[in-house]
Amino acid sequence: MEYFNWKAPEDIIAGISLYRPGPMDQIPRYIKNKQNSKNIKYLHEKLKHILSVTYGCIVYQEQVMQVFRELAGYSMGRSDLVRRAMSKKKADVMAKEKENFINGICEENENVIVPGCVRNGIDSETAEKIFDEMAEFAKYGFNKSHAAAYAVIAYQTAWLKYYYKVQFTAALITSVMDNSSKVAEYISNSKKLGIEILPPDINESSVNFTVKENKIRFGLAAVKNVGINAINSIIQSRKTKGNFVSLYDFLDRVDLGVVNKRTVESLIKCGAFDSLNVYRSKMIAVYEKLIDCIHDQRKVNVEGQLSLFEGDSSDLPVDNDIYPELSEYPQNIMLAMEKEMLGLYVSGHPLLEYKRELEDKTSINTAELIKEVSENENLGHYSYNYDGKRVIMGGIIVSVK
């Protein structure tokens, strides 16, 4: 894309490379030197143009190879072999290369293969310090070109998140649809950004999370028991015959071979039919009988014979005549249904009326705990900031064992 014809910022590349088990020790030094260039010290002046971009810290494998080439006269190939030996912690190879780095390599006829630091005007003591610092770092060193590729993606996504916040967030949630805890986390963050999340809707939702009037519409693929074939049937029917006007209209038009009773129940429970302005309790009471009725009609219909409700859409039963007189489910029951089908609450939250009290009296919520575990797993270890700490949480007891 034309928007991204630029060089990835060096600080992003360095941040990606430093935030790893080995180089993390260099982070305080990197920050200190970045904030005040007077803190930057080089073991030798020849290191300045190699390490200045990272404020005097060895961050990349390419820097290690460049030091070998420019200070000791190594070839490109030989410097890469040493880098590999360092990363694999081959002590015997490293001991030999340390001597080569400092004093060089000569053949029996005095032909110089590698000049070494001493021949290039660097005293042996300084050369030894430089080698030891490189050897310690290179055990965990990161490839700059690899980090730069990540940095480009980081910069692109940051640009998209800033200028296309709603679209970016919708795509982000779609990418984790198979992980309900992640979906809940991202939706919670979306609400903090002021982005409204609309519930699933049979007339509006697509397969994935989509943007509608600067709001995010829930994707049908995130609803439990709703498979891709069922979704395709729903979307295809909308494209050919327009929006659904009633529950019967929906059931009569979709392929009931893929949109089964469990699928319909899940769609009702999660609120996907709420735009039809019929209570969920009423639809739950009749959907199975309606499906059976349609199945029976299709069995007895012969070619050329019209079904009971076939014809103009205005003739379809859109009123409440087919529904029993029932009150709507209590709010807590409806929220529990949403939680069951979507993995999270969309239209509200059972603890919303206690929000202020919970914020005043609790010290952590489950989203923070999940995030803590996730981040530490990515780092490859399990040291949690909350380990051993006393915390206060608030919630609802849903079951007791």
Side-chain angles (χ1 to χ4, degrees):
M1 293 174 66
E2 59 179 351
Y3 304 108
F4 303 131
N5 292 332
W6 40 260
K7 288 178 66 178
E10 288 286 349
D11 280 343
I12 299 178
I13 303 173
I16 291 167
S17 302
L18 284 166
Y19 198 66
R20 294 172 187 280
M24 283 179 79
D25 294 339
Q26 292 269 19
I27 292 176
R29 179 182 167 191
Y30 181 92
I31 295 171
K32 184 180 177 182
N33 291 356
K34 175 179 166 59
Q35 292 175 340
N36 187 353
S37 59
K38 292 179 180 178
N39 294 321
I40 302 173
K41 295 177 182 177
Y42 301 100
L43 291 172
H44 194 276
E45 191 64 22
K46 288 186 177 182
L47 292 172
K48 187 172 183 179
H49 81 282
I50 301 173
L51 303 181
S52 60
V53 70
T54 51
Y55 311 105
C57 303
I58 299 174
V59 176
Y60 311 116
Q61 292 178 349
E62 287 90 339
Q63 288 175 314
V64 172
M65 294 167 64
Q66 193 175 354
V67 170
F68 273 96
R69 294 197 308 272
E70 297 192 15
L71 273 65
Y74 278 58
S75 66
M76 291 283 285
R78 192 175 191 93
S79 65
D80 188 49
L81 289 173
V82 177
R83 177 199 60 79
R84 292 183 196 178
M86 283 182 168
S87 63
K88 292 179 180 178
K89 307 174 184 67
K90 294 183 177 180
D92 53 337
V93 177
M94 291 307 301
K96 184 178 179 181
E97 286 300 339
K98 184 175 184 177
E99 175 63 24
N100 295 340
F101 178 76
I102 297 170
N103 298 310
I105 304 172
C106 291
E107 292 181 331
E108 291 182 3
N109 60 3
E110 299 300 319
N111 182 38
V112 177
I113 300 173
V114 175
C117 288
V118 174
R119 283 190 180 84
N120 287 337
I122 303 170
D123 65 89
S124 59
E125 185 179 347
T126 301
E128 185 174 357
K129 288 180 181 178
I130 293 170
F131 185 92
D132 289 343
E133 186 171 327
M134 286 192 301
E136 182 59 33
F137 161 78
K139 292 176 184 176
Y140 308 98
F142 202 63
N143 182 285
K144 185 177 183 180
S145 60
H146 193 68
Y150 279 121
V152 169
I153 295 171
Y155 203 101
Q156 288 174 342
T157 51
W159 187 90
L160 289 168
K161 185 175 181 180
Y162 183 82
Y163 290 104
Y164 296 94
K165 178 173 67 175
V166 182
Q167 290 82 355
F168 176 81
T169 305
L172 191 65
I173 300 172
T174 295
S175 71
V176 296
M177 273 203 299
D178 58 342
N179 186 333
S180 59
S181 62
K182 273 290 180 187
V183 170
E185 181 186 339
Y186 288 166
I187 286 179
S188 175
N189 289 335
S190 303
K191 291 177 180 177
K192 289 177 183 177
L193 292 171
I195 302 171
E196 186 177 346
I197 307 295
L198 302 173
D201 189 281
I202 54 164
N203 286 324
E204 295 283 347
S205 292
S206 184
V207 179
N208 300 324
F209 287 76
T210 51
V211 177
K212 184 78 172 179
E213 297 177 353
N214 229 29
K215 301 172 184 177
I216 295 177
R217 174 68 71 179
F218 223 97
L220 292 177
V223 182
K224 189 177 180 182
N225 303 323
V226 181
I228 190 64
N229 292 331
I231 297 169
N232 289 337
S233 175
I234 294 168
I235 294 173
Q236 184 59 35
S237 181
R238 284 199 323 234
K239 285 180 180 178
T240 55
K241 296 184 179 179
N243 285 352
F244 303 105
V245 295
S246 69
L247 178 60
Y248 184 90
D249 179 35
F250 174 85
L251 297 174
D252 193 43
R253 283 164 50 183
V254 298
D255 180 359
L256 293 180
V258 291
V259 183
N260 56 36
K261 289 181 179 180
R262 287 186 68 197
T263 300
V264 176
E265 181 185 12
S266 297
L267 289 170
I268 295 171
K269 283 185 173 181
C270 74
F273 286 95
D274 285 2
S275 60
L276 300 179
N277 298 317
V278 178
Y279 289 160
R280 294 183 200 179
S281 60
K282 292 183 177 183
M283 288 187 281
I284 287 290
V286 303
Y287 80 92
E288 288 185 284
K289 290 181 181 179
L290 285 176
I291 292 173
D292 292 338
C293 176
I294 291 166
H295 277 307
D296 292 342
Q297 285 177 4
R298 290 176 182 175
K299 286 179 183 177
V300 299
N301 281 350
V302 292
E303 189 176 349
Q305 183 179 355
L306 294 177
S307 69
L308 179 61
F309 297 110
E310 193 164 341
D312 185 74
S313 61
S314 61
D315 297 329
L316 293 168
V318 295
D319 55 34
N320 291 334
D321 292 347
I322 61 173
Y323 300 111
E325 285 296 325
L326 291 173
S327 300
E328 181 58 293
Y329 294 119
Q331 179 70 6
N332 64 321
I333 298 297
M334 292 173 67
L335 288 174
M337 288 178 174
E338 290 179 13
K339 176 76 171 175
E340 179 190 359
M341 294 300 120
L342 304 176
L344 67 154
Y345 303 107
V346 177
S347 61
H349 196 284
L351 291 175
L352 198 59
E353 59 182 302
Y354 307 107
K355 183 179 179 182
R356 173 173 271 181
E357 290 88 341
L358 287 168
E359 287 176 347
D360 290 342
K361 296 181 180 180
T362 61
S363 59
I364 191 174
N365 58 44
T366 50
E368 290 171 317
L369 281 177
I370 291 168
K371 185 178 179 183
E372 179 75 10
V373 172
S374 175
E375 287 181 350
N376 281 291
E377 282 179 348
N378 291 337
L379 286 174
H381 57 82
Y382 294 89
S383 58
Y384 308 127
N385 291 336
Y386 296 104
D387 233 9
K389 288 188 177 180
R390 183 176 291 275
V391 297
I392 301 172
M393 296 183 70
I396 299 171
I397 298 173
V398 293
S399 64
V400 179
K401 291 186 180 180

